[in-house]
Amino acid sequence: MTVQREVMAVDQDSKPRLSVFSKMEKMIVAMAKADNENGIVMRAKRNLFSDQIQSFSGCDIVDWLKRQYNITDVKEACYLATNLCQYGYIYPIDFKLSSYTVKYDRSAEYRFQAPYFWPFRKDGTADSIKYAIYLQKRSLRNKQKHGLEPYEQEAFDKLLKVFADKKEFIEKQAREQVRMTKAGLYFYGHQVTSVSEAKKQRRTEKILLDLQERAFWRVHRPRPGCIQTMEEGPKRYFQPSQMAARRRKNKDTYRAEIKFLKKALEKPKPKLSKVLESYLTWNEQYQEYDPFLDQNAALPSNPWISDDTLFWEANDTLVKIPTELRVKKWAISFFNLMKDEQGSHEFEVFLSTEYSQENIRFWKEVEDMKHGPRSMIEESVNRITSEFLSNNAPREINIDSKTLETVNRNKEEMKGKPESLRYIFDPAQEHIYLLMKKDSYPRFLRSDQYINLKEMAHNQPIKKRFFGFGSGKTQIKRQTPSPKLKRRSTSSEREANSDISGDSPIHSITPMHSYSTGNLKDMDMKQTPSSSRSEHNKWAFPRTN
């Protein structure tokens, strides 16, 4: 077989062709040379469909690669040959092979693929319509030789549903190709010029055409579990020709570019040393809060290396008592406080004590409107205006007249434009944000509320669950002394203490001590009516009937 090298016609709107395919094609052209000195020797196999089918084994191609490229490692040569097979430049004659891995033996025979079926050819694209026609053609032929495999039948059924409007076209094309194949007229290259030449074609060439076509689709539509080497990325939204037209510059383009460069010159440019210093300072400041950099930040247990979920429960959106690191992070900046929903809730509670709760309520309402649905924007604008900005509003915020005038002007200009209405309150929101940051935030950090939160978080080490026992909720570890075992009491003392009192370990306010490693406090311990047991047995579990 002689393979003529062809130059692939790829227009500028097609995807760029990788240079590795050109290298592989040069390699295939050198392998398929007719002379036995430089090319691979092809041998006829008597066990196959016909004596005229020429093929070569894995040993032949590996030996040629070792000799041609001075490869000493057999594994490296096998890997290169496997890539040629996976990309469809050579194909195995036996399609019952589970993979395209080329081995250094004579267990499998291979052939060179026709140049028409090489990857990234303009006229040999593997679109879904052609695949549906190919599967339809095989279903019309002898099912014993050309029957569809289960994954191909499933793909064919899906394609018929997708192309339901083109079902008749697919069937006509498949029947025409079957008819031309039987008559010996159909070739992908369309080089048959007369019926007389077609009748002279041998049965072997028809078999080779089926093998080449099946190898082509096995590369582009592999079976489940196989590597899809020809998988393409997302398609271009703009073609290169369209982008080139957009790059053509005119007067307006140059004016906009000059304006942009003037603004860039006016911006202050900090020194690189100052930028690096600020990055290092920021890293040192936030390192103790990062569970990936500091193990103490992932207490009580690291959920990335264990199945314990206490870390997520303790750092939930809203909890009764936040963790110590979470509370400390609020003191770093006002941004960290407002970013945390628990922190903004605590800050809102503090503002309610200072009778300035309307500030944070206004800020939250504007944030919800910015990220809310488009259909609710106009309604949100009217509600925010009537509640916070209008005269005699129930929660009127403290902003200057200039800011209020800017908001009203923006509202009139953007009327009827829902997307632009999202940002009309930005001047007022920025004013309120700076007011809370400079005035209310420092007082919050000095308030008793924040100090108490830090103390409660500090005195709340989260207990780990052992052996999966426990309710899974974070619990406060209270410092309670272990109950002392009393001496055996007399019958009169037992009668006197039979009533429910505060000294009973079951009904007492202070929690009892747990002697086991499990969280036994959550288990219900009921006292039996017949209290004839000693004080030692008071701590035992009740019997179950």
Side-chain angles (χ1 to χ4, degrees), residues 183-186 192 194-202 206:
L185 292 169
Y186 180 75
V192 179
S194 63
V195 179
S196 60
E197 291 182 5
K199 289 181 178 179
K200 295 179 183 179
Q201 293 173 357
R202 295 170 295 181
K206 297 179 183 179

Side-chain angles (χ1 to χ4, degrees), residues 34 41 87 123 125 134 147 164 166 177 179 216 225 276 289 295 337 393 417 437 450 487 510 518 523:
V41 179
Y87 283 100
D123 52 352
T125 55
Y134 164 72
K166 299 181 180 180
Q177 290 185 16
R179 186 188 67 80
F216 173 80
L276 294 177
Y289 303 99
Q295 296 182 356
L337 177 67
K417 301 177 181 178
K437 179 180 179 180
Y450 181 72
R487 62 176 179 82
T510 58
M523 305 184 69

Side-chain angles (χ1 to χ4, degrees), residues 426-454:
D426 280 358
Q429 188 187 24
E430 184 179 358
H431 179 83
I432 294 298
Y433 184 85
L434 293 175
L435 181 66
M436 293 188 297
K437 179 180 179 180
K438 296 179 179 180
D439 186 33
S440 303
Y441 175 62
R443 292 201 302 271
F444 170 72
L445 297 180
R446 297 191 299 267
S447 64
D448 295 338
Q449 179 185 351
Y450 181 72
I451 295 173
N452 293 335
L453 274 174
K454 287 198 299 184

Side-chain angles (χ1 to χ4, degrees), residues 360-374:
I360 192 170
R361 292 293 299 272
F362 170 75
W363 187 87
K364 287 183 176 181
E365 288 287 344
V366 175
E367 285 295 309
D368 293 342
M369 183 194 68
K370 285 182 179 180
H371 302 92
R374 182 178 180 180

Side-chain angles (χ1 to χ4, degrees), residues 56-71:
F56 55 90
S57 64
C59 290
D60 297 332
I61 187 172
V62 171
D63 290 337
W64 186 89
L65 291 172
K66 290 170 63 180
R67 182 177 67 256
Q68 190 75 12
Y69 296 101
N70 297 326
I71 300 175

Side-chain angles (χ1 to χ4, degrees), residues 470-516:
S471 61
K473 298 181 180 180
T474 57
Q475 300 179 1
I476 301 176
K477 183 180 179 182
R478 300 179 178 86
Q479 301 294 334
T480 56
S482 301
K484 296 182 180 179
L485 300 178
K486 298 180 180 180
R487 62 176 179 82
R488 186 181 296 273
S489 59
T490 61
S491 60
S492 59
E493 291 176 347
R494 286 196 299 269
E495 292 177 0
N497 296 332
S498 60
D499 297 334
I500 297 177
S501 63
D503 296 331
S504 173
I506 299 175
H507 301 280
S508 62
I509 298 175
T510 58
M512 63 183 179
H513 180 74
S514 176
Y515 286 94
S516 65

